[in-house]
Amino acid sequence: MTMHRRRTRPRRRGRRFDLRATAMFFGLLATALIVAGFAVRALAGVVQRRPVWAVVLLCVVVAVLLAHGRRRRRLSAAMIARRAGEALERGTSTALDALDDPAPSPLRPVIPAPAGAYDDVLPTVVAPVAPGVAHDALSPDEFEAAIADLCVRDGCARVEVVGGAGDLGADVTALTPDGRRLVVQCKRYGEDNKVGSQDLQRFGGTCFTVHEADVALVVTTSDFTAPAVEYAEQCGIVCVNRDALLAWSEGRAPEPWAVGVDGAQA
């Protein structure tokens, strides 16, 4: 008696269960989830401060997924987990770098000042007096300012107009270019009113002792009397009359403190 053998179906060859690979997969997956948590937390701040970075990062992730999808070969679970972890690590690093960089401050528009907004601001240095200025037409205060302008023009420093009540004869003070202290008294007189010796004596009593002048100067729009010139020569005061002032202002004569009494007085 013959017995028929039972045909057995061939077993399909499949992948054997690998405990080591499975454990590695879940370990990498847990690491990836932790990194993803930190990345999401960091990206939340980036989205609030710089939305453009979030869009760029999303485009990179989508491009990576599309590139992997086009590949025909089948990737193992361990390789997928490793590459996912690397992508998340790069994203986290980029997000942390973006958080460390300070956000650029918005540009403030330049608002033009209204017309006349700076009309009340006085200049620190007054422009020098133009040649040929009519000093007779100036007020006493304007005349003092004009003499101060000439001092500035010719290189004096620390020029100050100090004339007024209680000035003790000093209307303008300055330092000459060579460092000497200059004290000037201004006399805006008419042509028929000359500076007398009494004016020179009052100024001579304070210019050196009180104001500690190295150079004492009396400037007038008029002229000096003979006794006034004689007293000035004795005390070392430089007298600048109308003609000498005009030559000084027009640049035809050197500075009075440079030439001394002989070249500046009447």
Side-chain angles (χ1 to χ4, degrees):
M1 180 182 247
T2 60
M3 300 207 35
H4 296 282
R5 245 184 223 183
R6 232 170 157 188
R7 293 182 181 181
T8 58
R9 296 180 181 179
R11 294 182 180 178
R12 296 180 180 178
R13 292 183 179 181
R15 300 187 76 182
R16 297 176 57 186
F17 177 75
D18 191 347
L19 181 60
R20 182 178 180 181
T22 304
M24 183 180 298
F25 169 74
F26 284 106
L28 291 174
L29 183 60
T31 303
L33 291 176
I34 294 174
V35 174
F38 285 107
V40 170
R41 183 178 180 182
L43 288 175
V46 176
V47 171
Q48 293 179 357
R49 294 175 56 187
R50 296 184 179 180
V52 178
W53 280 97
V55 176
V56 172
L57 184 59
L58 181 61
C59 293
V60 171
V61 174
V62 173
V64 171
L65 293 178
L66 292 177
H68 284 296
R70 292 179 181 178
R71 294 184 181 181
R72 294 182 179 179
R73 64 188 184 88
R74 190 175 179 181
L75 299 177
S76 63
M79 186 178 297
I80 293 175
R82 186 177 70 252
R83 293 189 177 181
E86 292 175 356
L88 288 173
E89 184 178 358
R90 287 194 299 269
T92 305
S93 177
T94 303
L96 293 176
D97 293 341
L99 287 175
D100 292 337
D101 294 337
S105 58
L107 296 178
R108 298 182 178 179
V110 178
I111 302 175
Y118 299 99
D119 292 345
D120 296 334
V121 179
L122 297 177
T124 55
V125 178
V126 184
V129 178
V133 65
H135 294 96
D136 295 335
L138 302 177
S139 66
D141 293 339
E142 292 173 343
F143 181 59
E144 294 174 1
I147 299 303
D149 292 343
L150 289 175
C151 295
V152 173
R153 184 197 68 182
D154 293 337
C156 290
R158 300 181 184 177
V159 180
E160 296 182 10
V161 178
V162 295
D167 57 11
L168 297 178
D171 296 323
V172 178
T173 60
L175 287 180
T176 61
D178 56 359
R180 292 178 296 168
R181 178 169 174 78
L182 176 66
V183 178
V184 184
Q185 185 179 68
C186 303
K187 295 293 187 181
R188 196 200 64 80
Y189 287 172
E191 294 182 5
D192 56 347
N193 186 14
K194 295 183 178 182
V195 180
S197 61
Q198 292 183 356
D199 297 325
L200 269 294
Q201 291 174 14
R202 283 193 292 269
F203 181 60
T206 59
C207 61
F208 296 109
T209 58
V210 177
H211 301 294
E212 300 180 349
D214 296 316
V215 180
L217 203 66
V218 178
V219 183
T220 182
T221 54
S222 178
D223 206 340
F224 297 89
T225 63
V229 173
E230 183 179 356
Y231 177 83
E233 291 177 352
Q234 295 175 357
C235 297
I237 299 174
V238 181
C239 295
V240 180
N241 62 5
R242 179 186 183 89
D243 295 336
L245 173 60
L246 184 61
W248 177 27
S249 63
E250 292 180 350
R252 295 184 287 105
E255 304 84 358
W257 55 83
V259 299
V261 178
D262 294 337
Q265 70 179 21

